[in-house]
Amino acid sequence: VELVESGGGLVQAGGSLRLSCANSGRTLANYAMAWFRQPPGKERQFVAGISSSGTTKYADSVKGRFTISRDNAENTVFLQMNSLKLEDTAVYYCAADQRWGIVTTLTDNYFYWGQGTQVTVSS
């Protein structure tokens, strides 16, 4: 599994971005997938996740603004981010794991990670 994120960039507050996480190797259909982020000087934190069956989970800080989805045919997971705030500025990481079958919020429960993509929200 090799996860590659894309779609990050600079956006004004209130704007939108769509992040993608693709794997060119084996199918991700049986993996729980998640997005984490790491703001400057802070620890990595859970943002959103989606199980292999499509059940989703979100951090309270992004509920109603972010949407995670997956396209198993394209082996890709997406994070649609709307109404972006300054505090959403961070490096966003995609993660995958097939051991648990459900979405968990702990970084230790994900075995595969992407390299990260920077999201910067400006005023």
Side-chain angles (χ1 to χ4, degrees):
V1 174
E2 183 177 355
L3 304 175
V4 179
E5 302 101 333
S6 61
L10 175 65
V11 63
Q12 285 192 324
S16 299
L17 281 176
R18 189 192 196 203
L19 305 183
S20 299
C21 172
N23 178 45
S24 58
R26 69 184 69 174
T27 176
L28 296 176
N30 297 323
Y31 286 70
M33 304 294 299
W35 288 94
F36 287 75
R37 67 186 180 188
Q38 189 163 15
K42 296 185 179 180
E43 294 186 350
R44 198 169 296 190
Q45 56 191 224
F46 175 80
V47 176
I50 185 167
S51 71
S52 57
S53 63
T55 301
T56 58
K57 185 179 182 68
Y58 296 92
D60 288 343
S61 59
V62 307
K63 279 181 182 176
R65 300 189 298 121
F66 290 12
T67 302
I68 187 171
S69 61
R70 65 192 303 161
D71 185 337
N72 290 334
E74 295 294 328
N75 234 13
T76 303
V77 175
F78 304 97
L79 185 68
Q80 178 67 43
M81 304 186 295
N82 299 328
S83 303
L84 282 161
K85 303 177 180 180
L86 297 178
E87 53 264 41
D88 293 321
T89 294
V91 178
Y92 282 71
Y93 296 91
C94 177
D97 202 284
Q98 64 175 149
R99 293 172 292 175
W100 318 115
I102 59 173
V103 174
T104 67
T105 62
L106 301 177
T107 56
D108 287 348
N109 286 348
Y110 291 88
F111 188 79
Y112 299 102
W113 290 85
Q115 82 289 349
T117 185
Q118 176 70 47
V119 171
T120 303
V121 184
S122 65
S123 58

